[in-house]
Amino acid sequence: MGTANGITLQQMRYFVEVAAEGSISAAADLLYVSQPTMSAAMKDLERRVGRALFNRSVRGVTLTEDGAEFLGYARQVVEQAELLEQRYLGRPPSRRLLAVSTQHYSFVVDAFVRMVKASSAAEYAFTLRETRTADILDDVRTLRSELGVLYRNDFNRTVIDRLLRDSGLVFTPMFVATPHIFVARTNPLAQRAQVTLDDLEDLPRLTFDQGTNNSFYFAEEILSTRSAQQDIRVSDRATIFNLMIGLGGYTISTGIVSDDLDPSIVAVPLEVDERIEIGWIGHASIPLTTQAERFVAEMRAVVAAFGVELLA
């Protein structure tokens, strides 16, 4: 089975796996073919399409811009072929693939857990990257991840929308959250019905480090331009929660925190005239795979369970 220009379905399946693994040899191992066979198949694919699809190095392979575009279409072809085989040939579901890049939200982790548990495939390769804002945009642009999760508000909207437009990406809103602070359950503020910015003056402010792209517009937290007497930047969610407990610090986020995943942390409404619009980003011209659609559905279900109104 092949396409009109001689590209075979097998080559596209190989290509999807190589792109997912970032390694020709690793993909060959997963598909039980020899490394020379896989390498030859990828070189032949590039010859047939007349474009370089991979950047090769001693550390593996990454997609070129043409490769990222080709991957979007190859995924669709492979997925549709698998659906036909399952329906008419009785074949079991194939290995499931999905990569997601996200800002640090526990509801995303919760949804990811639910998606993995609900997967009907005996084999899968799922990736969840909690990472910096600029990396999320780059991951989705290059199709290292199929979708990303981040926020917009009145402050960063113009910059984020311009970057999305320049990268051929689109933002799909899921919900609008009212700002909350996250603090340890032992923090005196945890018992309050609401807190003000003045209540936070003497507490360490905890924010996620954005690396070299440490612009206010890339911050995960609203009110990023507001100064704080005590400021600590961290790189991961486990550390930020430990500092909430150990130092009595706080961070500003959506107010959605899972008791199952983060039982020691509580959310308290913050009295500010701000809103946080959370959504997912993907390529404007490439539809989501079925697996990605399932993940989006799980995110919406998790958020709805908190009583948050979903956007259409």
Side-chain angles (χ1 to χ4, degrees):
M1 179 178 178
T3 61
N5 68 352
I7 300 172
T8 68
L9 178 59
Q10 183 182 58
Q11 282 178 315
M12 284 189 279
R13 282 177 167 151
Y14 285 178
F15 177 78
V16 169
E17 287 287 354
V18 171
E21 295 300 320
S23 165
I24 288 176
S25 59
D29 289 342
L30 285 170
L31 296 176
Y32 303 104
V33 300
S34 69
Q35 191 274 339
T37 297
M38 180 68 76
S39 182
M42 293 301 94
K43 288 179 179 178
D44 183 62
L45 176 62
E46 290 177 308
R47 181 184 64 79
R48 290 176 185 272
V49 301
R51 302 175 187 181
L53 302 178
F54 294 111
N55 296 309
R56 293 168 171 83
S57 73
V58 294
R59 290 181 292 180
V61 297
T62 58
L63 293 174
T64 63
E65 288 191 13
D66 287 329
E69 181 180 11
F70 186 83
L71 177 60
Y73 293 105
R75 280 173 172 166
Q76 294 178 62
V77 172
V78 170
E79 186 175 76
Q80 291 302 312
E82 289 172 350
L83 289 173
L84 285 171
E85 291 171 350
Q86 290 170 37
R87 181 174 180 85
Y88 295 104
L89 301 181
R91 293 184 180 175
S94 64
R95 186 168 178 262
R96 290 287 176 251
L97 303 172
L98 180 66
V100 176
S101 293
T102 178
Q103 292 176 332
H104 300 77
Y105 300 123
S106 64
F107 78 86
V108 174
V109 179
D110 207 351
F112 195 85
V113 168
R114 291 172 56 158
M115 180 201 69
V116 173
K117 287 182 176 179
S119 176
S120 59
E123 299 181 16
Y124 53 74
F126 297 140
T127 303
L128 179 63
R129 302 184 187 93
E130 286 192 329
T131 188
R132 297 164 175 169
T133 302
D135 291 338
I136 295 169
L137 295 168
D138 192 56
D139 283 351
V140 181
R141 178 184 63 81
T142 61
L143 280 173
R144 183 178 186 225
S145 289
E146 188 172 349
L147 58 84
V149 184
L150 47 74
Y151 92 95
R152 299 186 307 191
N153 71 343
D154 291 340
F155 174 73
N156 72 2
R157 185 183 308 274
T158 300
V159 172
I160 294 297
D161 284 353
R162 175 176 56 78
L163 291 170
L164 291 171
R165 184 171 58 251
D166 291 347
S167 299
L169 307 177
V170 63
F171 180 95
T172 301
M174 286 191 294
F175 65 96
V176 176
T178 56
H180 288 63
I181 62 164
F182 286 169
V183 291
R185 197 173 292 276
T186 54
N187 191 305
L189 294 182
Q191 308 305 316
R192 299 275 292 275
Q194 189 176 55
V195 297
T196 67
L197 291 174
D198 289 341
D199 294 324
L200 306 177
E201 283 296 329
D202 297 327
L203 300 181
R205 180 176 66 180
L206 310 173
T207 60
F208 287 106
D209 180 66
Q210 297 299 323
T212 57
N213 291 292
N214 213 21
S215 162
F216 292 130
Y217 297 106
F218 286 94
E220 285 195 34
E221 304 81 16
I222 63 169
L223 305 174
S224 58
T225 58
R226 184 175 180 271
S227 62
Q229 296 179 25
Q230 304 170 54
D231 211 351
I232 301 175
R233 294 176 182 170
V234 303
S235 60
D236 65 87
R237 203 155 45 88
T239 299
I240 211 169
F241 286 165
N242 286 337
L243 292 178
M244 287 177 197
I245 298 168
L247 294 178
Y250 73 93
T251 193
I252 302 175
S253 192
T254 63
I256 301 176
V257 59
S258 170
D259 287 339
D260 293 335
L261 296 175
D262 311 304
S264 58
I265 304 301
V266 298
V268 183
L270 177 62
E271 187 181 351
V272 289
D273 188 21
E274 296 273 354
R275 292 295 180 269
I276 304 171
E277 183 184 38
I278 306 289
W280 59 268
I281 62 171
H283 272 263
S285 59
I286 302 175
L288 293 182
T289 60
T290 300
Q291 194 66 45
E293 289 178 343
R294 288 172 184 158
F295 175 67
V296 171
E298 293 290 4
M299 284 197 295
R300 292 174 63 86
V302 169
V303 171
F306 281 87
V308 177
E309 182 179 354
L310 293 169
L311 300 174

